[in-house]
Amino acid sequence: MSSTTIEVRGGQPLPRVPARNHRMINSVVCGVSIKRHHRESNHLLSRTSGPSLGFVPTRTDASQFLRDDCNGKFGRFGGKFVPETLMSCLKDLEDEFHFVLSDRDFQEELATALKDYIGRETPLYFAGRLTEHYKNLAGTIGSGPDIYLKREDLNHCGSHKINNALAQAMIARRLGCSRVVAATGAGQHGVATAAACAKLSLECTVFMGSTDIEKQSSNVLSMKLLSAQVKAVEGTFKDASSEAIRNWVGNLDNTYYLSGTVVGPHPSPIMVREFQSVIGKETRRQANQLWGGKPDVLVACVGSGSNALGLFHEFVGDENVRLVGVEAAGLGLDSGKHSATLAVGDVGVYHGSMSYLLQDDQGQILRPHSVGVGLEYPGVGPEISFLKETGRAEFYTATDQEAIQACMLLSRLEGIIPALEASHALAFLDKLVPTLHDGAKVVVNCSGRGDKDLDTLIQQGVLSSLC
């Protein structure tokens, strides 16, 4: 096979994304000088005292769905498509990551922060009126599934992003970094990173696309209040990411690049997935307490995949639990203005790993669109790509208008204003519910709160129509 192409199903070659994208790898901290820590010869997990590591456990299941190989590959997806000079740095980062997973002091501090600072565990809330709404629809009168919401919107900072941001900021501090840089789209990762840095006394710089700054002004103000420096970049999240990486590469001695997505070269996707897996672990425990079993269906929106994997990963090995991801169809799949990577994308290499991407015939990355700007990413993580290709997870789409209507419905029926990103998952209930048996248990990941989206709803004319 040519070095400039990759092979996809049917044997049709697709051009790779140009090599210049590989030079700006968002490999988290691979360029930072890794300061070696004192390591005890006995693995710390062998200690019998101390708190459980249930919040961020090591993987023990040998299933192909639960483990990547030593190079971070899930089937043909993932890997380390980086210059040779970065390979040793990524290996150092991987070693450091696995060390903190079994380091007693780190885990004690993280467990305390997850409980007392972030506010975990988040409720698994029975949405009674939403459930009745669907049970009373034509065709499902008086019967239908029970709908629960995993309330990640109740986390400190209003989304699931803080789970990963705080843990990685702790790693940055351990590495001796005094400064953190990040990129954000909807602003939720930016706010979470700013809060984590304020707590840990780290300097924080957040890069954000100029169009996103206009849409997410409340989150911009929150980041500034948390002492972060917000730097505008012409464009959207993709452009902000490139600028953040450039800034990090120019300041390797003291700077940590804090990724909020399950993309990039190994071990970045695994790190974010592991720190978000607390969502699914709590869901399993709560479901068992509430109804003595597991959920029948899990539903989450999919941008790059961090909140979806956070919910799904715990249940990937449970074949009787359906995993349903919902992408942003924007103005429609035929419009060219959407973020439905898995629905219409091709396989390629971007930001250091192989996955499904939105790209043209020349391998150039296309600009995504969604009313939920946190879903505006032109690719998905390698593990999400693997779940699609193996058929373990199902993926569908919801349009801008469907997401807006779902946001209004939940607000009116449950008194909960969901983020427009999470509203895509809620929107798919219209199609999902009629296919389910009476009493089925559905869990939707409400990954963020929607006060950040009020300006967008005003611009869409939604709030004015209610006055």
Side-chain angles (χ1 to χ4, degrees), residues 165-359:
L166 181 61
Q168 283 207 53
M170 289 170 56
I171 292 176
R173 185 184 61 180
R174 287 170 60 96
L175 292 172
C177 298
S178 61
R179 178 173 179 264
V180 167
V181 296
T184 192
Q188 291 175 310
H189 176 60
V191 171
T193 301
C197 288
K199 173 176 169 53
L200 299 175
S201 190
L202 298 170
E203 180 185 344
C204 180
T205 302
V206 179
F207 292 85
M208 192 170 185
S210 55
T211 58
D212 296 334
I213 286 177
E214 295 177 2
K215 297 176 183 177
Q216 304 290 327
S217 59
S218 63
N219 275 343
V220 174
L221 294 174
S222 294
M223 285 183 270
K224 292 180 177 179
L225 184 60
L226 293 165
S227 300
Q229 182 180 11
V230 181
K231 292 193 174 184
V233 178
E234 187 66 29
T236 60
F237 175 57
K238 176 172 68 73
D239 308 292
S241 297
S242 297
E243 192 61 34
I245 294 166
R246 277 191 285 266
N247 184 278
W248 159 68
V249 169
N251 298 276
L252 298 179
D253 290 339
N254 67 343
T255 300
Y256 183 107
Y257 179 79
L258 204 159
S259 173
T261 64
V262 288
V263 298
H266 181 67
S268 179
I270 307 300
M271 291 176 66
V272 178
R273 192 277 312 281
E274 289 292 343
F275 290 135
Q276 292 293 359
S277 66
V278 61
I279 302 171
K281 295 183 183 304
E282 287 181 2
T283 298
R284 180 186 290 277
R285 182 170 61 252
Q286 292 167 325
N288 189 60
Q289 292 170 347
L290 288 170
W291 63 80
K294 294 177 290 189
D296 294 294
V297 187
L298 302 175
V299 187
C301 65
V302 176
S304 60
S306 64
N307 95 91
L309 276 182
L311 179 63
F312 293 170
H313 183 64
E314 172 67 15
F315 296 92
V316 168
D318 297 284
E319 295 184 0
N320 57 342
V321 177
R322 289 176 62 188
L323 311 179
V324 176
V326 185
E327 293 188 293
L331 303 183
L333 297 182
D334 294 332
S335 70
K337 294 184 177 181
H338 58 77
S339 298
T341 303
L342 295 170
V344 300
D346 298 312
V347 177
V349 173
Y350 186 57
H351 281 171
S353 68
M354 183 178 290
S355 66
Y356 280 95
L357 305 172
L358 291 177
Q359 56 183 334

Side-chain angles (χ1 to χ4, degrees), residues 50 101 103 115 129 239 297 314 450 459:
L101 286 181
D103 178 66
K115 177 178 179 293
R129 292 196 66 204
D239 308 292
V297 187
E314 172 67 15
Q459 293 170 4

